[in-house]
Amino acid sequence: MPYLATITVIWALSFNLIGAVLAGRVDADFAVLTRVVLAGAVFLPFLRWRAVAPPLRLGLIVVGAMQFGITYLCLYRAFRFLTVPEVLLFTIFTPLYITLIDDLLSRRFNPRALLAALVAVIGAAIVRYDALTGDYLAGFLLLQLANLTFAAGQIGYKHLLRRYPSPLPQHASFGYFFIGALAVALPSWLLFGNPAKLPTTELQWATLAFLGLVSTALGYFWWNKGACMVDAGRLGAMNNMHIPVGIAISLAIGHPEGDIGRMLLGGAVIASSLLLAPKKNPA
């Protein structure tokens, strides 16, 4: 839980930075590519190329392509169809996907984990529900694909390490995760990127550096490491904690568009879902 809690705060801060500094100013595909390249540069020096078993190597590439590459490809494009509140609202379904995918791969059904995920969804909806616009189906479907690949990547990493145990520390193989992400981010930039919208200020470059080195490199490593230490119910609940934390950070830095009462109530509901989750990480 400490890994997940720490990265929740970092990612909540990242959402605010993206909205304040990058959104609408810097090409989204370039931003994603920059994050992948910087994060990969952190882990590639530690990568034990030949020591990683081929099945684990391939699995990490696939997980990286899904959890970061496809997820962000869909997420950024959803903003073309949805308002920011709608994007936040439609990301709340990730806990449900996490518990369902985990049960599918484990060939079991854990009603308590599913209940915890449902409560986390309700809590997030309390925080971020706003009236929907009429034309949102395309954005909704893009976000559900993003939610699905993000959930599948988290659970996939957890099951991958369980199925192919390695004597190597996790950081010695995690570089393959970003190779997979690069396999999606680079073609996306080449096909859809807008060279006219590259960063132009020191603040934009500094934000990209923070997002790449901290939010992406440290963030995804610690998040996936933490995901291996908790059950699907707690992991699902933590996937929605960034919403009240993000609003709290927004309020703290002087953007009072959040409803404090809804934030406290929704955050309390999400926190209660952690108590409903199974007490042990099922094998």
Side-chain angles (χ1 to χ4, degrees):
M1 290 296 288
Y3 289 111
L4 299 179
T6 301
I7 300 307
T8 292
V9 176
I10 292 175
W11 282 353
L13 175 61
S14 299
F15 272 108
N16 282 277
L17 286 174
I18 291 170
V21 180
L22 301 180
R25 302 174 181 87
V26 176
D27 179 75
D29 289 291
F30 180 80
V32 173
L33 178 62
T34 302
R35 292 178 64 171
V36 172
V37 170
L38 290 175
V42 171
F43 283 96
L44 286 180
F46 301 103
L47 187 57
R48 300 281 296 275
W49 297 89
R50 296 182 179 181
V52 180
L56 178 59
R57 185 186 314 160
L58 178 60
L60 289 170
I61 291 173
V62 172
V63 165
M66 288 193 303
Q67 190 179 344
F68 189 90
I70 299 176
T71 296
Y72 274 82
L73 187 67
C74 295
L75 176 64
Y76 277 98
R77 278 152 180 78
F79 280 97
R80 297 179 182 176
F81 306 98
L82 302 174
T83 64
V84 173
E86 289 168 353
V87 169
L88 290 171
L89 175 62
F90 291 151
T91 60
I92 67 177
F93 298 104
T94 305
L96 295 178
Y97 297 132
I98 285 176
T99 55
L100 293 174
I101 293 172
D102 187 58
D103 283 349
L104 178 64
L105 293 179
S106 301
R107 298 181 180 180
R108 57 169 166 74
F109 174 66
N110 191 329
R112 191 164 179 173
L114 181 60
L115 177 61
L118 286 169
V119 172
V121 168
I122 293 171
I126 291 172
V127 176
R128 278 312 316 180
Y129 180 78
D130 289 285
L132 303 176
T133 60
D135 184 19
Y136 63 85
L137 181 59
F140 176 82
L141 294 176
L142 279 170
L143 271 180
Q144 296 323 298
L145 180 57
N147 293 340
L148 186 61
T149 54
F150 188 62
Q154 295 174 71
I155 296 300
Y157 183 83
K158 180 177 179 178
H159 283 259
L160 192 64
L161 294 192
R162 184 183 301 167
R163 183 170 183 178
Y164 302 105
S166 172
L168 298 174
Q170 291 184 36
H171 68 266
S173 61
F174 203 69
Y176 282 112
F177 177 95
F178 292 110
I179 291 176
L182 183 64
V184 175
L186 181 57
S188 179
W189 158 247
L190 295 176
L191 291 172
F192 307 111
N194 182 1
K197 297 186 68 174
L198 297 183
T200 57
T201 68
E202 292 184 0
L203 179 59
Q204 290 171 348
W205 283 111
T207 299
L208 285 175
F210 173 81
L211 293 175
L213 299 175
V214 180
S215 299
T216 305
L218 178 64
Y220 274 84
F221 179 65
W222 272 16
W223 186 268
N224 282 285
K225 187 172 183 177
C228 295
M229 300 177 179
V230 299
D231 56 83
R234 282 182 170 80
L235 179 60
M238 290 302 296
N239 267 263
N240 275 349
M241 280 300 294
H242 73 278
I243 298 176
V245 174
I247 293 176
I249 291 176
S250 180
L251 291 169
I253 62 178
H255 296 282
E257 70 274 7
D259 186 318
I260 296 179
R262 285 168 60 178
M263 179 190 71
L264 293 175
L265 177 59
V269 172
I270 296 174
S272 71
S273 71
L274 297 175
L275 301 177
L276 293 173
K279 301 302 181 184
K280 296 182 180 180
N281 188 10

